[in-house]
Amino acid sequence: MPKRKAASTAAATATAIPATENPPAPAPAPKRQRKSANPNKDSQIIDGAQALRASPDASPEESFPVKSAKASAKTDAPQFLDEDAPEEADEEEIQAALSRPPPVNSDYLPLPWKGRIGYACLCTYLRFSNPPVFSSRTCRIASILENRHPLKNPDEPPHATKNRPDKDKPADVARGQAYVESLGLANARDIIKMIRWNDRYGIKFMRLSSEMFPFASHEEYGYNLKFASQVLAEAGELAGKLGHRLTTHPGQFTQLGSPRKSVIDNAIRDLQYHAELLDLLKLPPQQDRDAVMILHMGGMFGDKGETLDRFRENYKNLDANIKKRLVLENDDVIWSVHDLLPICEELNIPMVLDYHHHNIIFDADKIREGTKDIMDLYPRILATWKRKNITPKMHYSEPTPAAITGRQRRKHSPRVATLPPCPPDMDLMIEAKDKEQAVFELMRIFKLPGYDLFNDILPHVRNDDNKALDGPKRKPKKGQEPEPDPERVPDDEVGMGGPEGRVYWPPSMEDWLRPVKRVVVKSEDKEGATSKKSATPKKAKAKVEAEEDDTAVKVEAEVGRGAKPVVTKAAKKTAAKKAKEAPKNAAPKAAKKVEETPDLTEESEDLSDLSASPDTPPPKPKRGKAAKGKGASQRPARGKRVSYVEVEDDVV
């Protein structure tokens, strides 16, 4: 049981037991039990969404069970989610990980570099540009069904709140299909911009997002990609012209070794979708062969031999355009290089070596952890590519620094610190959280081709978009001439980094890509604390006048109680202002009233109260014109000060 959960459970138990009783000793944490992965033996195992994770591109939320919000709310201890924190592990796992032999790494560096280095799916700089550029816009099935209904105002563009689909109107399947196809077209168009951006900064290798066309391989809501053939052909033409390599990586649930027919059917549809996507790019012959689909073997389902037999049978039934693109990759859960290399050689399937996965899952009887011993298998691995005349590729990533156990080490670090000992002409995919920035980091460390094409970004500043021009313009102040509008950035140059190529952000400084957060500070958070935002002159003047009026009223009250009149500067200023604003004919009358006003002190008022009988009810205050008599005060009625200090009796 994780420590945080154990602590919260113990706290809840302690609060439920009366204070007079001794609380029972907490039960020992149960050991982690590994369930069988064979659905024929264990009814709790569900193939598909709950299968063992084998894809490096899957998010941690998809990879492991996450406690629901309802369950988390029951714990007394506060729950915090730190995406950079390692996953909790018990002591047995930690001790086993610490006792493993140290890795044996090679000191060879593939320099001078002659290959291509790429990243997967998303460019962080373009994702936060204005407008954003990315190829993974998606939706829910509920959104497809909702958009089958026409808009409330068909003449206006759709809006999240002001102009939504009207469910009271009849639905049309074609209208919902047009909605999801519009997302796919927007994703495909942004591929062109991403290829141009990569080429400007020396990156010629990229993995396309599998979410480019949402639900295209779905059993019920799936569709073909003919509507996007022209846009995809334009992207492929640009990639072919610039010499870029494009690949795909179907999801972790696309498994050809599953014992369930429904999973196999879903996997085949997904592979057909990816193959159609790559076919429509119309790449030149060599680049078309290099456009591969990386696949994991998936779960073990009880027995590796039986799973491999099912894979062989299902692979033979695949279409030719899928077979020519399919490659297998070792994973970080079950399947090692020694498990997959024989079947790749048998079925003529290229094999992708993932160094990071190899350091977690390997055959300890044949090889040691690290990058040195695996180099002995390079000839066999590279031969699987040369048989099909496909350019080899490898994957490289590193675990997070705090990771200890195998499960913790599966998570990729934001960037990598070195190059693997691969051939210098290899196409190397860097699987890191910071995407293209991890590639830039390697370029700078080893002075790889393209390292001098980019510069550091300015924090929270963008000079490659037209956001300032498209937004509302400020009116010039009185007497000032309006500022000339800056030159508009051409549409082709928006998001491209500007003339200085400021597209690199240092590690952990991803916040620099966004504008500065606007902090709203209250006018007075505490007594004496003022707002950072300066008040307008009109409001400041009104505030000073209000303070002066309040000071004058206090002085007048003190004089009425018999105190020595101390005329302050503020009081003089207020009196002069009132005299100036008052009508001339009202001045003598006001003065007469002041003379006739008796000088009542606080003591006389107290004495008059004491002289009254205790049984006599207090006189009701007069209201309206009747209250305005000879002795009435001209200032507003104010509450009497009440003293709570006890007066000691005189000692006789």
Side-chain angles (χ1 to χ4, degrees), residues 521-532:
V521 183
K522 295 182 179 180
S523 58
E524 289 186 1
D525 294 337
K526 297 180 181 179
E527 186 177 355
T530 58
S531 171
K532 294 182 180 180

Side-chain angles (χ1 to χ4, degrees), residues 388-456:
K388 287 190 170 183
N389 195 19
I390 302 176
T391 305
K393 70 186 293 283
M394 294 181 177
H395 295 174
Y396 184 71
S397 56
E398 295 173 356
T400 55
I404 299 176
T405 67
R407 291 187 300 113
Q408 292 173 345
R409 291 160 60 206
R410 292 172 188 165
K411 185 175 181 180
H412 296 181
S413 62
R415 304 189 186 187
V416 295
T418 188
L419 287 168
C422 61
D425 58 348
M426 180 64 59
D427 283 352
L428 187 64
M429 175 62 65
I430 304 298
E431 296 179 326
K433 176 184 173 183
D434 289 349
K435 305 296 182 178
E436 83 288 350
Q437 301 296 321
V439 177
F440 288 159
E441 202 73 34
L442 285 176
M443 288 181 175
R444 283 193 167 183
I445 293 173
F446 297 104
K447 298 293 187 293
L448 303 182
Y451 79 95
D452 54 347
L453 299 177
F454 55 90
N455 294 295
D456 292 12

